[in-house]
Amino acid sequence: MMSRAAQNCNRTLSKPSEINCIAKNHNNNFHVLTSHSSFLGNKRTSLATLAPKRQRNCKQSVCATAGRTLSELKNCVEAQQFDRKMLEELFTIARAMEDVKPNTDEAHMLDGRLMATLFYEPSTRTRLSFESAMHRLGGGVLSTESAKEFSSAAKGETLEDTMRTVEAYSDVIVLRHFESGSAKRGAAAIDIPLINAGDGPGQHPTQALLDTYTIQREIGRLDSVKVALVGDLANGRTVRSLAYLLAENYENVEFVFVAPPVVEMGGDIKSFLDKQGSKWEEAYDLKEVASEVDVLYQTRIQRERFQDRSEEYESAKGKYVVNKDIMEVMRPDSIVMHPLPRLDEITTECDPDPRSAYFRQAKNGLFIRMALLKVLLKV
């Protein structure tokens, strides 16, 4: 039976032009796409030039959602900012974004807006999907890769000073940083929206959003799901953010943690799940777990987090591998997910299996990030 959210999504997508109606749903101040610009002769004046200056964020309010409504979202720095209603609204917008075509009005909704991507750690999918999302909606991109080495950070500039400088050149900043908590610091220093694209071993909220969206799209529900989180659970910001998002917003979600002891799930997540009343357990037999769950979420062992602890890395690497034998015991309606990149923790023989959802998952990241940019830039 189709979930209510899925029914709403299907109804919403009956006409591509209904993106404008979605905009009205998530912000009653905006009704149609053309209302976001005024036309003086042949020159378009962006609404951003007419809007009042935003009040500077303070550290205490960086993560606030001002009434827990999507239209008032100011930044995206952690998964806990989103409640169920906000997620449903965002996913409806994301479904509409799947139908945005070139050379349409919808493909120009971010004309004149600039997004800066500051990545202090390597990235392929996250950076390119954000940049693709901005371009597909008509915006422009300012980008720096390996900002740790090739920006003024190499000269000792503080993160806060970098944020204030880049703010002058852009309308939204996407930040990936190697320190946990860096996104909150960056957001507190600027007035424009900031999106956390991963802060060290901390969180990766947009990955959690696209993961949750993928689960809904693939199995049709988010309540009463059993999820196995496998691999590097100590350093994996993706699994931490996903656990927060699912447990806080959906009913009867169960978790099974499958990890080598050296990278087991942290006590903070376990305590959070206990407070939420979410069931969780630790297990060590991947084959047995795979036969019981709706979602098998595999992650790689992150060598870069071990630094000089090479022996610990070698003891964890290759411990749990999803291969044909694992796929054979999984239910027909279950799925395998992975935030990518993968090394050898999912064998390529699994790729043709329709339950292997990881490349569809990566594609969903584009639509979620298009939706998030639309929301944060108030169009």
Side-chain angles (χ1 to χ4, degrees):
M1 184 174 181
M2 187 177 294
S3 67
R4 180 178 298 175
Q7 291 172 346
N8 288 339
C9 289
N10 286 340
R11 175 172 53 79
T12 301
L13 284 176
S14 60
K15 297 179 182 178
S17 62
E18 289 182 4
I19 293 177
N20 293 331
C21 296
I22 295 169
K24 183 177 179 181
N25 285 338
H26 90 264
N27 189 338
N28 288 327
N29 294 323
F30 300 96
H31 298 283
V32 294
L33 186 64
T34 55
S35 69
H36 305 307
S37 303
S38 61
F39 293 86
L40 302 174
N42 293 323
K43 295 183 180 180
R44 176 178 291 185
T45 303
S46 170
L47 182 67
T49 64
L50 307 176
K53 183 72 173 177
R54 291 175 56 185
Q55 295 297 314
R56 182 165 297 279
N57 294 324
C58 63
K59 291 183 178 179
Q60 290 77 14
S61 63
V62 163
C63 300
T65 56
R68 305 283 283 184
T69 61
L70 193 63
S71 64
E72 294 174 321
L73 188 71
K74 297 178 180 179
N75 299 289
C76 177
V77 299
E78 63 182 15
Q80 296 96 307
Q81 289 176 262
F82 296 85
D83 64 18
R84 184 171 182 140
K85 182 180 179 182
M86 294 168 70
L87 292 170
E88 290 176 353
E89 291 182 56
L90 184 68
F91 293 168
T92 299
I93 299 171
R95 285 292 298 272
M97 291 298 164
E98 295 185 25
D99 282 351
V100 172
K101 299 294 190 294
N103 302 317
T104 61
D105 287 343
E106 290 83 2
H108 291 280
M109 66 176 68
L110 295 184
D111 276 0
R113 306 296 182 92
L114 287 174
M115 176 185 73
T117 55
L118 284 173
F119 280 65
Y120 290 77
E121 288 189 321
S123 171
T124 301
R125 277 149 297 277
T126 303
R127 185 171 67 89
L128 292 183
S129 65
F130 264 115
E131 294 179 2
S132 177
M134 193 67 177
H135 283 304
R136 285 171 182 263
L137 296 178
V141 175
L142 308 173
S143 183
T144 177
E145 190 177 9
S146 303
K148 187 176 181 181
E149 292 82 19
F150 301 110
S151 75
S152 291
K155 304 175 184 178
E157 183 175 56
T158 66
L159 175 64
E160 287 79 1
D161 281 0
T162 299
M163 292 295 102
R164 292 182 185 116
T165 301
V166 176
E167 176 185 23
Y169 312 144
S170 57
D171 300 293
V172 58
I173 296 175
V174 180
L175 174 68
R176 170 167 288 187
H177 201 273
F178 50 88
E179 291 181 353
S180 181
S182 56
K184 286 185 180 180
R185 287 171 48 207
I190 59 178
D191 292 329
I192 66 174
L194 182 142
I195 302 173
N196 180 5
D199 58 345
Q203 286 210 38
H204 195 345
T206 65
Q207 181 71 46
L209 292 171
L210 76 89
D211 289 343
T212 305
Y213 182 65
T214 298
I215 294 171
Q216 183 192 64
R217 296 281 276 119
E218 293 286 331
I219 67 175
R221 70 182 190 280
L222 289 165
D223 292 312
S224 301
V225 295
K226 189 170 185 178
V227 181
L229 301 178
V230 185
D232 191 343
L233 307 187
N235 301 303
R237 55 197 172 203
T238 61
V239 291
R240 293 171 56 83
S241 293
L242 182 60
Y244 278 128
L245 204 64
L246 290 177
E248 189 170 20
N249 295 296
Y250 299 99
E251 301 295 329
N252 303 317
V253 179
E254 297 182 37
F255 296 92
V256 184
F257 303 141
V258 184
V262 70
V263 287
E264 68 179 15
M265 181 61 82
D268 58 334
I269 299 295
K270 295 173 182 176
S271 296
F272 174 81
L273 295 179
D274 287 338
K275 290 178 182 178
Q276 293 296 125
S278 298
K279 294 181 181 179
W280 63 269
E281 62 177 305
E282 293 181 310
Y284 301 95
D285 186 336
L286 180 58
K287 197 168 188 177
E288 180 180 352
V289 170
S291 68
E292 301 173 349
V293 298
D294 301 296
V295 178
L296 196 160
Y297 193 107
Q298 175 72 295
T299 64
R300 70 182 175 91
I301 304 298
Q302 300 184 38
R303 185 171 192 167
E304 65 272 23
R305 306 295 180 197
F306 284 81
Q307 297 179 351
D308 58 351
R309 297 175 293 133
S310 59
E311 291 185 4
E312 291 184 3
Y313 170 74
E314 292 297 330
S315 69
K317 184 185 69 170
K319 181 77 172 178
Y320 296 109
V321 176
V322 176
N323 53 27
K324 191 173 182 180
D325 291 340
I326 297 297
M327 299 297 290
E328 285 178 352
V329 303
M330 293 182 65
R331 300 201 311 263
D333 59 347
S334 61
I335 58 171
V336 177
M337 298 175 63
H338 193 302
L340 303 177
R342 67 172 167 186
L343 300 180
D344 55 2
E345 63 275 1
I346 299 179
T347 61
T348 56
E349 65 185 353
C350 300
D351 293 353
D353 193 304
R355 295 169 297 177
S356 296
Y358 29 90
F359 291 114
R360 298 191 296 275
Q361 175 186 355
K363 187 174 183 179
N364 286 336
L366 171 64
F367 307 126
I368 284 291
R369 286 159 181 148
M370 290 170 71
L372 192 59
L373 287 170
K374 173 180 173 60
V375 168
L376 288 174
L377 290 173
K378 313 299 182 189
V379 298

